[in-house]
């Protein structure tokens, strides 16, 4: 199951970004004592008592030139759309304000679980300030201090109690789940329709017209697949137009539920910076990756066009050198018949296990061919390696000192593993550990 999403909602200057940073454990949002200053990453993965979740700081949503109350309202609406649980943040020193009441009205109508936090309760003598906040109608207010970090444990205990129960497998183990990610207007919806052979998703030339992400199950050549369509990354028109960062959260949730991620590029527009960021999420999540260049029918070509485009992709995405590239056209169905077999291959590789004795023959041959590096007169010794996980394939190398495992040598070992076993389309993790 995908991780739950928790959104921190409230009017400006109640300490949303400070609490966000406290919970995720690093300084991600910019924190200044000025309303509307948050401009940095507004989402991050966080953990509490073995519960993993995504946390959103709505202060980072830039609505533009709207009046302040309208901005607050729109930010709250976005959080209501995206979140499973909402932390409603207020400021104990200010009491209940008109803006707090405006947010409370929206949240009461949302039918989402709401946990009320009263910030800036910096010492026990200030606890009496929380009682006015019962009037907002969300039950017990939780006194917290962003400055000192107090009260967050009780707050998070209350939040995780609202997480969906269970969390087992959504689909059977042998079902291949894949999603299409990419910036708006690269043709994700058209590709979904072309793969399914039916007009399942609304298609338009206007970026961001798809309204909802929907799972679609289908069977092809005896294999069951589920497409997790992320084309619906923006909705509510103008609000989402100015909140591009929210599309990232949608993509992250879809990636997390997938075995294979199709990173869709637009052949007409070429590669831009946003493509690299989006592809980076799939790589960081350890999913199988296929780079799909759509709209290949729309560009002038000669015998070198494909080779040159492929070289550009490899230059721009060096971290995805393991990912196959497929040039397709959703419109003309060009090479589309190759897509699902490639998804199946990458899924199989993502879940592949290698026998320890065969793996170690490859590793010992590699070490003999390219001796291990030395540092300060000490040489790395690789005693043996074993595979400890799949999805992605993860290997532990037992060595004399993990500090001696230089990145370049780890990369060499990865390449030898790929030469021997394939693993096309999937990242590989190698972890160096001292032999006990």
């Amino acid at each position: 199951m995908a991780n739950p999403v928790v959104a921190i909602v409230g009017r400006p200057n109640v300490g949303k970004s400070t609490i966000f940073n406290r919970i995720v454990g690093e300084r991600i949002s910019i924190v200044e004592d000025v309303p509307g200053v948050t401009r940095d990453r507004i989402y991050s993965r966080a953990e509490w008592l073995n519960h993993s979740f995504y946390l959103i700081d709505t202060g980072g949503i830039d609505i533009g030139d709207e009046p302040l109350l309208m901005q607050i309202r729109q930010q709250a609406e976005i959080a209501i759309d995206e979140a499973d649980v909402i932390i409603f943040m207020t400021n104990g020193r200010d009491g209940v304000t008109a803006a707090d009441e405006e947010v409370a009205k929206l949240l009461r109508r949302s039918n989402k679980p709401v946990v009320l936090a009263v910030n800036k309760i910096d010492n026990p003598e200030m606890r009496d300030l929380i009682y006015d906040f019962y009037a907002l109608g969300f039950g017990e207010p939780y006194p917290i201090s962003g400055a000192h970090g107090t009260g967050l444990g009780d707050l998070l205990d209350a939040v995780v109690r609202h997480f969906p129960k269970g969390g087992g497998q959504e689909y059977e183990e042998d079902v291949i789940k894949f999603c299409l990610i990419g910036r708006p207007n690269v043709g994700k919806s058209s590709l979904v329709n072309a793969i399914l052979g039916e007009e399942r998703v609304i298609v338009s030339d206007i970026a961001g017209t798809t309204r909802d992400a929907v799972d679609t199950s289908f069977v092809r050549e005896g294999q069951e697949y589920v497409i997790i369509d992320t084309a619906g990354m923006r909705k509510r028109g103008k609000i989402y137009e100015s909140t591009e960062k929210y599309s990232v959260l949608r993509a992250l949730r879809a990636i997390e539920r997938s075995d294979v991620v199709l990173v869709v590029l637009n052949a007409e527009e070429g590669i831009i910076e946003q493509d690299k960021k989006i592809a980076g999420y799939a790589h960081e999540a350890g999913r199988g990756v296929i780079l799909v260049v759509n709209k290949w029918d729309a560009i002038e070509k000669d015998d070198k066009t494909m080779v040159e485009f492929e070289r550009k992709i490899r230059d721009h995405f060096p971290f995805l050198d393991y990912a196959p590239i497929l040039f397709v056209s959703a419109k003309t169905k060009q090479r589309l018949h190759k897509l699902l077999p490639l998804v199946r291959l990458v899924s199989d590789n993502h879940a592949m296990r290698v026998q320890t004795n065969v793996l170690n023959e490859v590793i010992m041959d590699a070490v003999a061919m390219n001796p291990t590096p030395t540092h300060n007169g000490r040489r790395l010794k690789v005693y043996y390696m074993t595979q400890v996980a799949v999805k992605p394939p993860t290997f532990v190398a037992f060595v004399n000192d993990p500090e001696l495992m230089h990145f370049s040598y780890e990369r060499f070992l990865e390449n030898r593993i790929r030469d021997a076993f394939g693993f096309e389309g999937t990242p590989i993790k190698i972890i160096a550990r001292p032999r006990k």
Side-chain angles (χ1 to χ4, degrees):
M1 294 287 283
N3 285 328
V5 174
V6 178
I8 303 175
V9 176
R11 61 186 174 82
N13 215 26
V14 292
K16 294 188 295 291
S17 296
T18 303
I19 296 301
F20 174 86
N21 293 335
R22 283 271 186 191
I23 293 173
V24 302
E26 52 186 302
R27 197 174 186 279
I28 291 176
S29 281
I30 300 164
V31 180
E32 284 183 37
D33 199 21
V34 180
V37 78
T38 304
R39 291 287 179 272
D40 210 347
R41 275 176 76 169
I42 57 170
Y43 57 88
S44 186
R45 193 191 293 265
E47 284 196 6
W48 181 250
L49 300 180
N50 298 319
H51 293 277
S52 185
F53 57 96
Y54 285 113
L55 187 67
I56 313 172
D57 174 11
T58 58
I61 307 171
D62 183 10
I63 303 297
D65 299 325
E66 300 282 358
L68 190 60
L69 268 178
M70 182 63 74
Q71 289 185 40
I72 295 165
R73 184 186 185 91
Q74 290 176 345
Q75 288 175 0
E77 285 177 350
I78 293 169
I80 288 165
D81 281 346
E82 305 297 338
D84 298 299
V85 184
I86 296 165
I87 297 174
F88 178 15
M89 183 84 68
T90 59
N91 180 340
R93 295 181 184 182
D94 294 344
V96 178
T97 68
D100 291 330
E101 289 175 345
E102 179 74 14
V103 175
K105 274 185 213 167
L106 285 168
L107 296 181
R108 277 197 293 271
R109 289 201 297 265
S110 73
N111 294 320
K112 295 277 177 89
V114 176
V115 179
L116 178 60
V118 183
N119 193 21
K120 306 195 180 181
I121 306 299
D122 296 334
N123 58 62
E125 290 75 43
M126 301 175 72
R127 278 187 66 93
D128 287 352
L129 296 176
I130 71 170
Y131 296 117
D132 289 348
F133 291 89
Y134 277 96
L136 291 171
F138 295 107
E140 182 183 355
Y142 287 84
I144 60 173
S145 169
H148 304 296
T150 53
L152 289 182
D154 291 341
L155 176 69
L156 290 172
D157 285 346
V159 167
V160 300
R161 281 198 290 271
H162 291 292
F163 286 173
K165 297 293 185 285
Q169 287 283 333
E170 292 175 284
Y171 299 102
E172 294 297 319
E173 187 67 30
D174 57 354
V175 174
I176 297 174
K177 302 176 293 296
F178 67 98
C179 67
L180 293 81
I181 65 171
R183 55 194 168 86
N185 217 28
V186 294
K188 298 185 292 294
S189 295
S190 301
L191 274 172
V192 170
N193 290 338
I195 292 166
L196 295 172
E198 55 186 287
E199 292 297 313
R200 178 81 56 129
V201 182
I202 299 165
V203 179
S204 165
D205 287 334
I206 304 163
T209 49
T210 308
R211 288 292 176 264
D212 290 297
V214 179
D215 288 7
T216 307
S217 298
F218 65 101
V219 177
R220 199 67 52 85
E221 295 183 358
Q223 172 64 54
E224 188 176 351
Y225 298 88
V226 173
I227 295 183
I228 300 166
D229 176 29
T230 62
M233 283 189 178
R234 297 190 292 184
K235 55 182 180 177
R236 286 188 188 269
K238 185 179 174 186
I239 301 174
Y240 273 77
E241 285 300 315
S242 59
T243 57
E244 195 62 48
K245 288 176 184 175
Y246 258 84
S247 67
V248 170
L249 182 74
R250 293 271 177 96
L252 283 171
R253 298 186 82 183
I255 288 165
E256 192 175 73
R257 296 176 53 226
S258 300
D259 302 307
V260 179
V261 176
L262 309 188
V263 178
V264 184
L265 307 173
N266 185 334
E268 289 183 292
E269 296 175 2
I271 300 160
I272 67 169
E273 196 63 31
Q274 193 183 351
D275 291 324
K276 290 189 269 188
K277 287 181 182 173
I278 289 169
Y281 300 125
H283 174 72
E284 287 168 17
R287 299 301 184 256
V289 178
I290 301 170
L291 292 159
V292 179
V293 184
N294 191 24
K295 307 188 183 183
W296 193 241
D297 62 299
I299 62 170
E300 293 285 326
K301 292 180 280 290
D302 59 30
D303 59 342
K304 299 185 185 65
T305 309
M306 188 179 288
V307 174
E308 286 173 0
F309 205 105
E310 189 164 332
R311 181 183 54 77
K312 280 183 189 170
I313 289 173
R314 294 304 181 201
D315 287 347
H316 280 92
F317 301 93
F319 55 93
L320 291 178
D321 56 355
Y322 55 83
I325 301 169
L326 191 62
F327 295 85
V328 303
S329 166
K331 187 176 180 182
T332 68
K333 310 291 193 290
Q334 183 182 16
R335 291 190 200 85
L336 219 57
H337 65 283
K338 296 184 176 182
L339 192 52
L340 287 178
L342 194 53
V343 168
R344 191 168 184 170
L345 171 69
V346 170
S347 177
D348 288 346
N349 289 343
H350 193 233
M352 189 196 301
R353 283 195 181 274
V354 177
Q355 286 185 316
T356 300
N357 60 333
V358 180
L359 173 65
N360 281 287
E361 284 177 19
V362 170
I363 295 302
M364 292 309 116
D365 286 348
V367 171
M369 183 171 68
N370 182 8
T372 54
T374 59
H375 181 69
N376 291 337
R378 297 183 65 221
R379 181 174 292 280
L380 172 69
K381 291 180 182 174
V382 181
Y383 298 115
Y384 66 100
M385 186 181 284
T386 187
Q387 186 175 357
V388 295
V390 296
K391 297 185 177 185
T394 304
F395 301 89
V396 170
F398 289 93
V399 299
N400 56 333
D401 183 354
E403 296 293 320
L404 297 172
M405 176 71 89
H406 191 270
F407 168 77
S408 59
Y409 200 77
E410 182 182 308
R411 185 69 182 208
F412 163 73
L413 293 177
E414 178 187 327
N415 289 337
R416 297 291 74 76
I417 291 170
R418 289 189 183 280
D419 290 344
F421 305 108
F423 287 116
E424 182 182 17
T426 179
I428 288 175
K429 291 184 180 176
I430 297 177
I431 303 162
R433 285 199 185 136
R435 187 173 71 171
K436 294 283 170 73

